[in-house]
């Protein structure tokens, strides 16, 4: 019974098949390597106080791209500041000024603690307000012994951006705040500090206050500014800009019926903390130098109707700022997304720029402060309710095309069609996220290489095609009914290696492929079934939802296992146990073993192909930071169960194949010991001779080897499995012949020089023939022990009598002491002559001679090792095999018929036929 490693809780084993030999197979599963890196979660903030030295900073927070060196803040600064660091400020990307990397923020206690007037906190560009609050609480000793990372402690306080001026008096007087803004937890205070400067006469600082008190003061300061009217619009605009550009949500101006202006939907507690740090060029360009403000106002006013004839009149400064926000200039060296439809006009921007090669859209989410998983990294925050924390990923490298990949369960459309897997994204394509957001992808780097017309634009705008085809034409691609029929006909008869199906048709399609392979219908190439099944796997991996592939693999593995079980059961019934069997001829061997060898060859290639797909799935998950996702872990478990079933199929077919071959050899091998190659008038054949030229006693054994070799070649069995198959056959032949040799020496005179020469000649002829068949190295390795035993018997009698036990043990080390003593003790020296005393074993080896076994064990063969490496299936380029193409066409029409059966009877029609040129 073959045995191997099995996963606990796996599927039931194949039925027992009793071998004449003890056969076991150890098939260690190929462990799917985890690709990608695991970046440790490190705090991005370290603090110091005004009365103590600064602490050393830790590495910048994750996730950096692969092969990027993480440096300390000092090392980054020494390496070139912002230009040498990956964490560049977005303001530097578009304005080219400022020194990025890290900075020191003074956080005032605002009466919360006594002692030092402020504490200095060292922060990076990506340090959030929540992280700085936690660090400041620890420095001020306000954690209450719970630790700075305690969520309840941090939630009670807020970091405020205060604007005020010193009171008149000596030394500047006491600070007096007139405007206060509460920073959202996700905002980056270091960027807020750099986005705008206070006007002359005003001062600005960060304060740590209780959250409730800070909210109250913010509303009071906001109301006072509105009532006073001085600097209120400018403060409001700067407030909105700093919040949006630093990662928070812009505060909408209050209007009638809006109360205090707090956004609805979350109780007003937080103002949409998930807007991206990299929002848009238009947002960041508004933070330009003050000397260009007048030019922007003039340009904005010149766009109004009648502006040339109108006289400049005093206008609210806030109106100028709002007008300047309409003057958007897209970047010229970076891809970006143009918003066509959003969710909240007050918070959405028009342009979203890709600042990295990989750009992530999502809603974000809070990170766990108790050692849980970090929050998903998001480049562009979208706050619609149907947007997932990590909704969609776009990769745009230096070379086109860009690739877009939706996250699991995320509703994404590409040019109006539902997107389930990764697809190419070209300039001008429409990308829909959820039910609210619609973007157009633009890439200025492509120049004029994009399509002349967007793919979603109708082919003939303004002119509807005549006839009923317009009613059934696709409004997204612009194809009419006739045009789509021609495209469908080209697909049904085409030679591209593509097999498209819907999930509801999957079971019927897989069952038809496996049924045709099991019955041998048609004239498919040997690896045709594996190729068709691999096309199904490839379609699921590329086109269908992410969770579909594991389910398809499980169903596919179960169908193959059932087919192999039926095949092996029918072969077992044809040879019932206990009934003498006639030795199989080479033709009979081919007929009996062909279905098993075909399944072994196809399952091996399919297993390698599926392993590649699973590795790709794991690699993509690691790149997107989803390696710990519970759904992904469940999918990988399903894939592992499917791979285990395919392993079991390979081992079962290998078991059945060697079972029939060894039973046939068992009846033909004794002729190698009994036949005489030196018959009258016979000439010994040379190396590479044909089977018909070999002595009659060797032809049956060599005929089995030849039939097995031809069958493995015709079925295109993997070379590694071919070697292991013949390795086991030679192992069995060596053990069977050696055991027969040991057994025959006990009953009657057999160990004679003349008989040994005949056996040696037969064995040499077999090895020479196998050498000519390309199996010489494997045969020499496994026939070594038999060759040594026969060589001992071929030693002339006079030379053998001169040898001692120690010299014979040195010359024939492969033989065990029991086997050597058995051959010597039964060697025929002549009538009445026994073995000389020199052949007696010493006392040290007497126990090994008395207790040792002279027979070879059939359970010591090498284990079966499944082939590693890439699959030999070729799924690129047109299908050149006519038989495979015919089967592919048949399956496509089968899917067409299944689709038509779901339609009403009056809507059904046959497959379209391509128009003749």
């Amino acid at each position: 019974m073959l045995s191997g490693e099995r996963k606990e809780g796996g599927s039931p084993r194949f039925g027992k098949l009793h071998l004449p030999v003890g056969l076991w197979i150890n098939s260690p599963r190929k462990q799917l390597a985890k690709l990608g890196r695991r970046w440790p979660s490190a705090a991005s903030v370290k603090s110091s106080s005004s009365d103590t030295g600064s602490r050393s900073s830790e590495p910048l927070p994750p996730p950096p791209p692969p092969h990027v060196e993480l440096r300390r803040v000092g090392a980054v600064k020494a390496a070139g500041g912002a230009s040498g660091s990956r964490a560049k400020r977005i303001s530097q990307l578009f304005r080219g000024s400022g020194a990025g990397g890290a900075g020191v923020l003074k956080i005032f206690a605002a009466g919360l603690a006594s002692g030092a007037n402020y504490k200095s906190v060292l922060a990076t560009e990506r340090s959030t307000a929540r992280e700085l609050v936690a660090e400041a609480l620890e420095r001020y000793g306000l954690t209450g012994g719970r630790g700075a990372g305690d969520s309840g402690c941090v939630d009670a306080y807020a970091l405020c951006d205060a604007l005020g001026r010193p009171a008149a008096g000596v030394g500047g007087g006491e600070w007096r705040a007139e405007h206060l803004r509460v920073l959202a937890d996700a905002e980056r205070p270091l960027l807020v500090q750099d986005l705008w400067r206070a006007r002359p006469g005003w001062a600005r600082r960060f304060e740590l206050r209780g959250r409730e008190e800070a909210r109250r003061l913010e509303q009071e300061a906001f109301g006072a500014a509105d009532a006073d009217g001085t600097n209120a619009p400018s403060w409001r605009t700067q407030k909105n800009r700093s919040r949006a550009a630093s990662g928070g949500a812009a505060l909408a101006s209050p209007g009638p019926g809006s109360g205090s202006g707090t956004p609805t939907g979350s109780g007003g507690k937080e103002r949409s903390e998930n807007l991206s740090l990299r929002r848009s060029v238009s947002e960041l360009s508004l933070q330009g130098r003050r000397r260009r403000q007048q030019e922007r106002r003039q340009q904005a006013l010149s766009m109004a109707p009648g502006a040339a004839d109108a006289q400049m009149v005093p206008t609210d400064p806030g109106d100028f700022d709002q007008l300047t926000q309409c003057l958007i200039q897209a970047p010229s060296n970076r891809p970006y997304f143009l918003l066509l439809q959003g969710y909240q006009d007050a918070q959405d921007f028009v342009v979203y720029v890709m600042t990295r090669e990989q750009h992530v859209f999502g809603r974000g989410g809070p990170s766990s402060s108790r050692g849980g998983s970090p929050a998903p990294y998001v480049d562009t925050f979208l706050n619609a309710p149907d947007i997932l924390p990590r909704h969609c990923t776009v990769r745009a490298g230096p070379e086109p095309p860009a690739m877009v990949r939706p996250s699991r369960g995320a509703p994404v459309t590409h040019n109006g069609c539902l997107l389930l897997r990764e697809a190419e994204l070209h300039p001008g394509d429409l990308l829909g996220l959820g039910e609210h957001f619609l973007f157009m992808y633009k890439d200025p780097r492509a120049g004029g290489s994009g399509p002349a017309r967007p793919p979603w634009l109708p082919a003939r705008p303004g002119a509807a095609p005549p006839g009923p085809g317009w009613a059934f034409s696709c409004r997204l691609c612009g194809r009419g009914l006739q045009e789509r029929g021609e495209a469908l006909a080209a697909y049904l008869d085409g030679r591209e290696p593509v097999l498209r199906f819907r999930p509801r048709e999957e079971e019927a399609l897989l069952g038809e492929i496996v049924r045709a392979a099991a019955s041998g219908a048609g004239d498919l190439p040997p690896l045709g079934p594996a190729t068709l099944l691999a096309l199904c796997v490839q379609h699921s991996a590329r086109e269908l939802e992410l969770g579909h592939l594991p389910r398809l693999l499980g169903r596919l593995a179960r169908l193959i296992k059932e087919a192999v079980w039926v095949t092996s059961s029918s072969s077992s019934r044809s040879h019932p146990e206990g009934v003498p069997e006639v030795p199989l001829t080479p033709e009979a061997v081919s007929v009996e073993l062909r279905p098993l060898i075909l399944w072994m060859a196809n399952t091996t290639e399919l297993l390698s192909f599926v392993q590649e797909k699973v590795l790709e799935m794991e690699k993509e998950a690691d790149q997107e930071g989803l390696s710990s996702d519970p759904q992904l872990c469940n999918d990988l478990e399903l894939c592992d169960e499917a791979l285990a079933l395919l392993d079991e199929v390979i081992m079962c077919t290998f078991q059945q194949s060697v079972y029939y071959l060894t039973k046939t050899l068992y009846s033909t091998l004794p002729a190698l010991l009994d036949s005489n190659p030196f018959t009258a008038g016979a000439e010994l054949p040379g190396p590479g001779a044909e089977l018909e030229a070999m002595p009659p006693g060797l032809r049956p054994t060599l005929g089995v080897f030849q039939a097995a070799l031809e069958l493995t070649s015709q079925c295109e069995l993997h070379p590694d499995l071919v070697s292991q198959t013949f390795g086991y056959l030679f192992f069995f032949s060596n053990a069977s012949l050696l055991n027969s040799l040991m057994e025959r020496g006990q009953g009657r005179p057999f160990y004679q020089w003349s008989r040994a020469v005949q056996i040696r000649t037969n064995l040499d002829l077999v090895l020479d023939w196998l050498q000519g068949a390309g199996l010489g190295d494997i045969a020499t390795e496994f026939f070594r022990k038999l060759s040594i035993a026969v060589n001992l018997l071929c030693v002339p009698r006079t030379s053998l009598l001169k040898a001692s036990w120690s010299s014979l043990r040195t010359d024939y080390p492969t033989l065990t002491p029991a086997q050597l003593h058995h051959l010597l003790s039964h060697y025929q020296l002549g009538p009445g002559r026994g073995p000389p005393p020199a052949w007696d074993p010493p006392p040290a080896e007497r126990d090994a001679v008395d207790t040792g076994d002279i027979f070879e064990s059939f359970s010591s063969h090498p284990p079966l090792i499944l082939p590693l490496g890439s699959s030999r299936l070729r799924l690129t380029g047109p299908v050149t095999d006519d038989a495979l193409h015919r089967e592919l066409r048949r399956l496509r029409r089968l899917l067409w018929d299944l689709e038509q059966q779901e339609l009403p009877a009056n809507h059904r029609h046959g497959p379209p036929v391509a128009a003749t040129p």
Side-chain angles (χ1 to χ4, degrees):
M1 174 67 191
L2 289 178
S3 64
E5 296 183 359
R6 292 292 187 273
K7 181 179 177 182
E8 292 186 5
S11 60
R13 299 280 300 274
F14 286 96
K16 283 189 176 182
L17 296 172
H18 300 285
L19 301 178
V21 295
L23 176 60
W24 61 272
I25 296 178
N26 178 20
S27 174
R29 290 290 322 286
K30 176 183 177 184
Q31 299 297 328
L32 302 178
K34 295 290 185 180
L35 305 177
R37 299 191 179 189
R38 300 293 185 268
W39 298 97
S41 176
S44 59
V45 181
K46 281 294 180 179
S47 66
S48 62
S49 66
S50 58
D51 52 347
T52 59
S54 300
R55 302 179 189 177
S56 61
S57 75
E58 294 187 4
L60 292 176
H67 312 298
V68 174
E69 180 182 1
L70 300 181
R71 302 182 180 178
R72 293 179 293 103
V73 174
V76 173
K77 186 175 181 180
S83 61
S85 172
R86 178 180 178 273
K88 294 183 178 179
R89 285 203 185 101
I90 303 306
S91 58
Q92 291 174 241
L93 291 176
F94 301 102
R95 293 186 295 172
S97 61
V104 177
L105 296 181
K106 297 179 180 179
I107 299 181
F108 292 80
L112 292 179
S114 59
N117 189 24
Y118 65 86
K119 299 290 184 180
S120 297
V121 178
L122 181 62
T124 67
E125 295 174 341
R126 308 189 73 171
S127 300
T128 63
R130 183 179 181 86
E131 293 171 339
L132 296 184
V133 167
E135 194 67 27
L137 288 175
E138 182 181 5
R139 301 291 295 153
Y140 277 113
L142 298 177
T143 58
R146 293 182 293 178
D150 187 87
S151 178
C153 179
V154 177
D155 290 340
Y157 295 90
L159 189 64
C160 304
D161 188 3
L163 181 67
R165 66 183 90 194
V170 181
E174 182 181 357
W175 166 269
R176 185 181 62 191
E178 297 190 11
H179 299 282
L180 191 73
R181 183 176 76 87
V182 179
L183 271 67
D185 288 349
E187 288 191 67
R188 276 64 167 177
L190 193 63
L191 291 182
V192 173
Q193 179 179 255
D194 189 53
L195 286 174
W196 62 276
R197 302 286 183 238
R199 294 181 179 179
W202 292 78
R204 179 187 182 197
R205 72 182 190 181
F206 290 101
E207 296 181 352
L208 180 66
R209 294 181 178 271
R211 189 172 294 274
E212 297 299 329
E213 177 194 7
R215 291 297 186 192
R216 179 179 56 80
L217 293 177
E218 181 184 36
Q219 298 301 328
E220 292 177 358
F222 191 83
D226 283 344
D228 180 54
T230 305
N231 295 327
S234 176
W235 164 252
R236 185 186 305 116
T237 304
Q238 297 284 8
K239 179 177 180 178
N240 291 347
R241 292 177 185 172
S242 61
R243 181 182 293 275
S246 63
L251 179 65
S253 300
S258 62
S260 62
T262 304
T264 61
S266 59
K269 183 178 180 180
E270 299 294 341
R271 290 181 173 87
S272 300
E273 302 171 0
N274 296 328
L275 287 182
S276 173
L277 171 64
R278 308 169 174 85
R279 293 295 282 185
S280 65
V281 180
S282 60
E283 172 57 36
L284 295 174
S285 63
L286 296 179
Q287 313 305 324
R289 297 164 183 164
R290 301 295 298 178
R291 64 169 179 257
R292 301 177 57 188
Q293 186 68 19
Q294 187 63 28
E295 298 178 3
R296 294 179 177 177
R297 294 177 179 176
Q298 294 287 353
Q299 185 178 5
L301 292 176
S302 66
M303 298 176 63
D309 300 332
Q311 185 178 2
M312 179 68 67
V313 295
T315 310
D316 188 349
D319 296 338
F320 288 108
D321 293 332
Q322 294 179 4
L323 288 174
T324 56
Q325 294 187 22
C326 302
L327 305 178
I328 301 174
Q329 182 177 2
S332 59
N333 59 346
R334 291 180 178 273
Y336 61 92
F337 293 88
L338 182 64
L339 180 67
L340 304 182
Q341 176 180 312
Y343 179 65
Q344 292 181 350
D345 295 339
Q347 298 182 1
D348 296 332
F349 293 92
V350 179
V351 174
Y352 295 81
V353 182
M354 291 186 63
T355 57
R356 303 186 305 150
E357 287 192 3
Q358 178 170 297
H359 194 85
V360 180
F361 291 90
R363 182 166 43 86
S367 59
S368 175
S369 59
R370 300 180 183 271
S373 59
Y377 183 82
V378 174
D379 294 275
T380 295
F381 289 83
L382 305 175
N383 57 354
D386 57 349
I387 298 297
L388 301 185
R390 190 184 180 97
H391 198 89
C392 179
T393 303
V394 177
R395 293 194 304 271
E399 299 295 331
M403 304 299 295
V404 55
R405 178 182 178 84
S407 299
R408 179 190 297 273
V412 178
T413 60
H414 181 216
N415 292 329
C417 299
L418 183 63
L419 186 65
L420 299 176
R421 303 306 296 259
E422 188 175 50
E424 294 183 356
L425 187 64
H426 300 277
D429 284 359
L430 299 182
L431 187 64
L433 305 182
E435 298 292 334
H436 303 280
F437 287 97
L438 182 63
F439 300 92
M440 176 181 287
Y441 174 70
K442 306 288 286 185
D443 190 354
R445 303 172 303 174
S449 60
R453 298 179 63 83
W456 45 266
L457 194 62
R460 294 179 292 273
W470 175 249
F472 301 97
S473 63
C474 177
R475 297 184 179 181
L476 294 176
C477 65
R479 290 181 176 180
L481 184 61
Q482 180 180 357
E483 188 177 356
R484 287 194 297 147
E486 294 176 355
L488 179 59
Y491 160 72
L492 293 177
D493 297 330
R495 287 184 174 268
E496 286 113 6
V498 176
L499 191 57
R500 300 186 180 96
F501 60 92
R502 298 176 299 178
R504 69 188 71 174
E505 301 152 357
E506 167 193 315
E507 184 175 3
L509 176 61
L510 296 180
E512 180 64 22
I513 295 176
V514 174
R515 184 199 61 78
S519 62
D523 52 351
L524 278 176
L527 298 181
T531 302
L532 296 174
L533 293 174
L535 291 179
C536 297
V537 174
Q538 182 171 266
H539 175 76
S540 176
R542 291 181 177 180
E543 304 294 339
L544 302 182
E545 61 174 338
L546 296 176
H548 182 266
L549 180 60
R551 298 193 299 270
L552 180 140
L553 295 179
R555 176 172 293 172
L556 174 61
R558 288 190 294 270
L559 288 174
I560 294 178
K561 177 183 175 180
E562 293 172 0
V564 171
W565 170 247
V566 172
T567 302
S568 59
S569 299
S570 61
S571 299
S572 300
R573 288 193 299 268
S574 62
H575 298 283
E577 296 185 6
V579 178
E581 297 183 17
V582 179
L584 294 177
T585 62
E587 294 77 10
V589 169
S590 299
V591 173
E592 291 284 343
L593 297 185
R594 178 175 293 275
L596 295 173
I597 299 294
L598 280 174
W599 275 122
M600 184 177 5
N602 282 271
T603 308
T604 301
E605 301 303 330
L606 188 61
L607 175 64
S608 300
F609 181 80
V610 170
Q611 286 176 334
E612 294 175 3
K613 293 301 178 183
V614 175
L615 285 175
E616 291 176 4
M617 184 170 63
E618 284 194 334
K619 182 179 179 181
E620 293 173 356
D622 290 340
Q623 291 177 348
E624 297 182 6
L626 302 176
S627 57
S628 60
D629 181 46
Q631 292 181 332
L632 176 65
C633 295
N634 182 62
D635 289 347
L636 293 179
E637 289 181 2
L638 294 177
C639 293
D640 188 67
E641 292 176 2
L643 294 175
L645 286 179
L646 295 178
D647 284 352
E648 193 172 350
V649 168
I650 297 174
M651 289 188 289
C652 175
T653 52
F654 183 86
Q655 174 194 26
Q656 296 288 351
S657 300
V658 299
Y659 170 72
Y660 291 116
L661 291 173
T662 52
K663 287 187 70 174
T664 305
L665 288 173
Y666 192 75
S667 61
T668 62
L669 287 173
L672 273 71
L673 303 179
D674 298 331
S675 64
N676 182 10
F678 306 104
T679 56
E683 182 179 355
L684 295 180
E690 296 294 334
L691 181 62
E692 292 76 11
M694 303 300 293
L698 305 182
R699 292 174 190 172
T701 299
L702 296 180
V704 175
F705 291 148
Q706 184 178 37
L709 184 62
E710 293 176 352
L711 185 59
T712 55
S713 176
Q714 294 170 2
C715 296
E716 298 184 16
L717 184 64
H718 196 283
D720 291 349
L721 290 182
V722 174
S723 300
Q724 294 185 72
T725 300
F726 279 96
Y728 184 80
L729 295 181
F730 297 153
F731 163 82
F732 173 82
S733 301
N734 173 79
S736 180
L737 289 173
L738 186 60
N739 291 344
S740 297
L741 183 64
M742 293 294 175
E743 184 179 5
R744 293 191 181 188
Q746 296 178 353
R748 55 189 175 89
F750 191 80
Y751 299 154
Q752 300 174 359
W753 179 85
S754 59
R755 179 62 64 90
V757 171
Q758 295 178 9
I759 298 175
R760 178 73 262 179
T761 304
N762 285 333
L763 186 59
D764 288 340
L765 291 175
V766 171
L767 293 178
D768 289 343
W769 187 90
L770 293 174
Q771 180 71 37
L775 302 172
D777 295 339
I778 304 175
T780 301
E781 176 184 355
F782 284 98
F783 278 106
R784 178 177 292 112
K785 198 163 191 177
L786 177 64
S787 297
I788 290 178
V790 175
N791 289 343
L792 173 62
L793 298 178
C794 288
V795 176
R797 184 185 309 171
T798 55
S799 300
L800 193 60
L801 289 173
K802 298 177 182 179
S804 63
W805 174 268
S806 59
S807 63
L808 292 174
R809 287 283 292 149
T810 303
D811 295 338
Y812 305 98
T814 306
L815 298 175
T816 64
Q819 291 173 340
L820 179 61
H821 181 264
H822 177 79
L823 293 175
L824 295 176
S825 61
H826 293 83
Y827 191 84
Q828 301 298 315
L829 295 176
R833 296 186 60 179
W839 291 357
D840 294 336
E845 294 185 285
R846 175 59 63 179
D847 291 341
V849 170
D850 295 339
T851 60
D853 192 357
I854 63 174
F855 298 108
E856 285 294 298
S857 172
F858 289 97
S859 62
S860 59
H861 66 88
L864 172 64
I865 301 176
L866 298 182
L868 301 179
S870 59
S871 173
R872 297 186 298 163
L873 301 177
R874 294 295 174 259
L875 304 182
T876 58
V879 177
T880 56
D881 188 273
D882 293 336
L884 181 60
H885 179 230
R886 286 193 298 270
E887 183 66 14
L888 192 60
R889 292 174 56 192
R890 187 183 71 85
L891 294 175
R892 289 169 178 171
R893 280 167 166 74
L894 172 65
L895 295 173
W896 170 266
D897 294 338
L898 293 176
E899 183 177 349
Q900 290 298 307
Q901 292 175 5
E902 299 179 2
L903 301 177
N906 57 342
H907 288 177
R908 300 175 186 173
H909 53 85
V913 179
T916 57

